[in-house]
Amino acid sequence: MTKQKEELEHRLKLRNIKLADYDDIREIMVSIYKEPGGAWTRQELKNQLKVFPEGQICIEDNGKVVAAALSLIVDYTKFGDNHTYDQITGFGKFDTHDSDGDTLYGTDVFVDKEYRGMRLGRRLYDARKELCENLNLRSIIAGGRIPGYSKYYDQMTPRKYIDLVKSKEIFDPVLSFQLANEFHVRKVITKYLPEDTDSRAYATLLEWINIYYEKDEKLIGNKKSIVRLGLVQWKMRRFNNVDDLMQQVEFFVDTVSGYKSDFCLLPEFFNAPLLAEFNDMDASEAIRNVADYTDEIVTRMRDLALSYNVNIIAGSMPEYDGKKLRNVSYLCRRDGTVDKQYKLHITPDEQSYWGLQGGNGIKVFDTDAGKIGILICYDVEFPELGRILAEQEMDILFVPYWTDTKNAFLRVNTCAKARAVENECYVAITGSVGNLPRVENMDIQFSQAAIYSPSDFSFPHDATVAQASENAETTIVADVDLDLLTKQRKAGSVRNLEQRRLDLYSIHWKKKK
């Protein structure tokens, strides 16, 4: 082989960048980025190699760097979608790098002009994807220039231009390449690189999803991100005894557990059919007799939570200690522990017919699937309670209710939606349907179970995660993402909790004397 032929041979090698490569890198960057800022300085490259050497990749040919890709890891929730290039790179210092972050952020990819057409950019993108997978990061995100837009900016919007590039009606030297490499456009951002006149200061926010990503989970004490809720819209029917009642309860617990739900929610007074056994008594006496079954039902609910591996919010049941009759919701965790929440506000009807009294405390419950609160029916119509729970970092609010008419249901339903928005949490509600002839004060039912979310871009367009049909015995099984709540609280369009004027007002819980 002659010496001349040997010199013409390419010897490409993919490797990590070294500081000694700076002159080669600067030469490429200066030739490409004449307007958007030129090249990194030697000190800036040194900083990048110091904080994240694995993320700085190049391709050399016979010892000379001819292409490179730079990146860092970020906690993307700290920046959100409307960041600039300077913000995400810390103005070139790369002090935004976070080894505990979840996103690989691509800052630069560049190829020597003499090596265009050799698909070196694709090799660098593939190397980034491999790095993302090996580091178990959620995705790769990058801000992409659209240099071809300068020819069309007076004819169409950036969105229209991007759509035409997607449909291959227009070729953009950057965006067309990125789309071909499995990136999708999340949105258009402005002033990403203000000096980029070719792109008219617009940029695409691009993302590649790592389908192999597995969120790190601790063996003990892990907080789940995706939580599955199972809601039972319960039909009131006659039961001969507690065994019959619990047989129907177990059917629904088994059903939602079969879908690997983390929670099973039952309605307020789901055990009201047992009142039929005491039809010959006054209503207040009958409800006190039904309260005698509560301890047994709670014990059996706890056993179901254990055997079916699901946390059960056991609607609500009457509790009578010989002096006070109260309405209580039991939380039966799947680890075998039991907690309870009393209904605080008693409706005029409940007080008149039964002599119910309200409880005196409220709290957030820790579970293996997030922090939850429970407000029984009427309580959700008092916004102070939801706010107190939200201040204790509640993720999900459960509302078991019983309503006889649609207007009564609408009060509960409308207030539940409001609690989700104002407290930036999920709210799950369910009630009972059907009729109970000859059971005084519990004879008709109206319900439409639902799961509500905050109202912002990360959530369903109508802030409704799931909703049941009206007045039909059924279940809802749906997932809620607790990480989205964190994002909402830190970077939502509005931030109800964060932006309260605590200098003007606050809510305080008064200890009962």
Side-chain angles (χ1 to χ4, degrees):
M1 182 181 296
T2 67
K3 182 177 181 182
Q4 182 179 10
K5 185 175 181 182
E6 184 175 324
E7 288 176 349
L8 292 175
E9 274 192 342
H10 290 296
R11 296 187 179 182
L12 301 179
K13 180 181 179 181
L14 180 74
R15 61 171 173 82
N16 288 115
I17 294 173
K18 300 174 290 188
L19 188 58
D21 299 318
Y22 176 72
D23 290 339
D24 291 342
I25 290 172
R26 184 180 184 281
E27 181 182 337
I28 302 171
M29 293 189 76
V30 168
S31 69
I32 296 173
Y33 301 138
K34 293 180 180 179
E35 288 185 343
W40 293 108
T41 66
R42 182 181 292 273
Q43 184 60 46
E44 286 170 336
L45 180 63
K46 184 177 180 180
N47 289 342
Q48 294 163 11
L49 294 175
K50 180 179 179 181
V51 300
F52 188 35
E54 301 91 342
Q56 321 316 322
I57 305 165
C58 70
I59 297 174
E60 69 169 43
D61 185 15
N62 289 303
K64 178 181 174 62
V65 173
V66 295
L70 309 177
S71 60
L72 67 159
I73 298 173
V74 297
D75 178 352
Y76 194 69
T77 60
K78 294 181 179 179
F79 298 94
D81 286 348
N82 293 315
H83 58 269
T84 67
Y85 183 80
D86 285 338
Q87 289 170 339
I88 206 78
T89 63
F91 293 88
K93 298 177 182 177
F94 270 46
D95 55 7
T96 52
H97 174 75
D98 183 351
S99 58
D100 293 324
D102 63 352
T103 300
L104 185 69
Y105 196 94
T107 60
D108 294 276
V109 173
F110 42 85
V111 178
D112 190 307
K113 291 180 179 180
E114 294 184 7
Y115 285 77
R116 301 282 172 84
M118 294 180 63
R119 298 189 176 183
L120 299 190
R122 184 180 294 275
R123 294 194 194 194
L124 292 171
Y125 269 54
D126 288 344
R128 267 188 182 165
K129 293 173 186 176
E130 183 181 2
L131 179 65
C132 182
E133 291 172 357
N134 289 339
L135 292 176
N136 191 36
L137 299 174
R138 187 188 300 274
S139 65
I140 302 174
I141 288 182
R145 300 174 60 232
I146 45 174
Y149 182 57
S150 59
K151 300 176 183 177
Y152 300 92
Y153 79 96
D154 57 349
Q155 304 171 37
M156 62 186 73
T157 64
R159 183 176 298 278
K160 179 66 175 176
Y161 175 79
I162 291 168
D163 287 341
L164 290 174
V165 174
K166 286 181 179 179
S167 61
K168 301 187 183 299
E169 297 294 330
I170 293 176
F171 175 79
D172 183 277
V174 176
L175 180 58
S176 295
F177 168 75
Q178 290 165 327
L179 294 174
N181 278 275
E182 301 175 322
F183 279 73
H184 69 272
V185 179
R186 282 175 57 135
K187 65 174 295 185
V188 178
I189 46 181
T190 59
K191 300 180 181 179
Y192 181 71
L193 279 169
E195 64 271 27
D196 184 6
T197 55
D198 284 345
S199 303
R200 298 290 161 170
Y202 289 105
T204 55
L205 188 67
L206 298 135
E207 183 175 32
W208 175 82
I209 304 292
N210 176 15
I211 62 172
Y212 303 109
Y213 170 71
E214 293 182 2
K215 187 168 183 178
D216 292 335
E217 294 189 356
K218 301 175 184 177
L219 295 179
I220 298 174
N222 175 65
K223 179 181 177 181
K224 300 188 70 172
S225 172
I226 304 300
V227 176
R228 182 159 295 176
L229 308 183
L231 280 57
V232 177
Q233 187 156 275
W234 174 267
K235 182 178 180 179
M236 292 292 191
R237 51 168 63 84
R238 295 291 291 268
F239 295 111
N240 294 322
N241 49 49
V242 173
D243 287 339
D244 285 350
L245 174 77
M246 292 307 298
Q247 184 178 31
Q248 189 66 14
V249 169
E250 184 171 3
F251 165 77
F252 282 113
V253 171
D254 184 16
T255 298
V256 300
S257 173
Y259 292 104
K260 301 187 183 303
S261 297
D262 296 294
F263 292 98
C264 176
L265 175 65
L266 292 162
E268 180 183 25
F269 285 130
F270 69 94
N271 65 335
L274 298 177
L275 283 166
E277 183 181 345
F278 310 103
N279 272 341
D280 58 336
M281 297 181 182
D282 177 82
S284 62
E285 186 180 0
I287 195 72
R288 284 162 173 77
N289 275 274
V290 170
D292 290 341
Y293 294 120
T294 296
D295 285 347
E296 179 186 351
I297 294 173
V298 171
T299 299
R300 295 173 71 164
M301 285 284 191
R302 181 201 61 195
D303 293 343
L304 291 177
L306 284 167
S307 59
Y308 285 100
N309 192 30
V310 61
N311 299 299
I312 300 175
I313 294 94
S316 81
M317 293 172 278
E319 177 189 271
Y320 184 55
D321 62 4
K323 295 180 180 180
K324 291 182 179 180
L325 177 70
R326 291 182 289 190
N327 186 357
V328 60
S329 179
Y330 285 89
L331 167 62
C332 301
R333 298 183 184 87
R334 53 187 165 193
D335 65 1
T337 59
V338 176
D339 254 313
K340 61 183 176 181
Q341 175 63 59
Y342 289 107
K343 187 173 185 178
L344 304 188
H345 297 88
I346 304 303
T347 66
D349 189 67
E350 291 169 332
Q351 200 284 325
S352 173
Y353 272 90
W354 293 332
L356 274 170
Q357 298 184 48
N360 298 315
I362 191 172
K363 68 174 182 177
V364 164
F365 302 98
D366 287 313
T367 74
D368 60 3
K371 293 178 177 291
I372 71 165
I374 302 171
L375 293 178
I376 303 171
C377 197
Y378 193 31
D379 281 344
V380 80
E381 299 177 32
F382 295 84
E384 299 89 346
L385 299 183
R387 181 51 49 85
I388 289 168
L389 293 172
E391 288 176 341
Q392 299 176 50
E393 301 181 343
M394 171 185 66
D395 299 309
I396 308 168
L397 175 61
F398 290 96
V399 183
Y401 65 85
W402 169 76
T403 52
D404 53 352
T405 61
K406 187 167 185 176
N407 60 332
F409 161 74
L410 288 174
R411 289 194 298 267
V412 172
N413 187 61
T414 303
C415 291
K417 290 180 179 180
R419 301 299 84 85
V421 171
E422 67 199 16
N423 296 308
E424 297 170 331
C425 66
Y426 295 104
V427 180
I429 68 171
T430 196
S432 53
V433 302
N435 306 302
L436 279 177
R438 299 179 60 211
V439 175
E440 188 175 0
N441 203 40
M442 294 290 289
D443 46 354
I444 61 173
Q445 330 284 323
F446 187 99
S447 177
Q448 187 173 26
I451 302 169
Y452 298 118
S453 72
S455 183
D456 210 339
F457 299 112
S458 297
F459 301 95
H461 72 95
D462 58 356
T464 303
V465 177
Q467 192 170 45
S469 301
E470 290 184 3
N471 289 337
E473 184 174 40
T474 187
T475 60
I476 293 176
V477 177
D479 290 342
V480 295
D481 188 339
L482 303 189
D483 283 349
L484 291 182
L485 298 180
T486 301
K487 179 180 178 182
Q488 175 67 23
R489 293 162 185 167
K490 291 182 178 179
S493 299
V494 294
R495 296 182 284 279
N496 298 77
L497 288 176
E498 179 186 289
Q499 296 180 320
R500 287 171 294 154
R501 289 291 304 274
L502 297 179
D503 57 323
L504 300 178
Y505 60 85
S506 61
I507 298 175
H508 296 286
W509 185 264
K510 295 181 179 180
K511 292 184 179 180
K512 185 175 176 60
K513 295 181 180 179

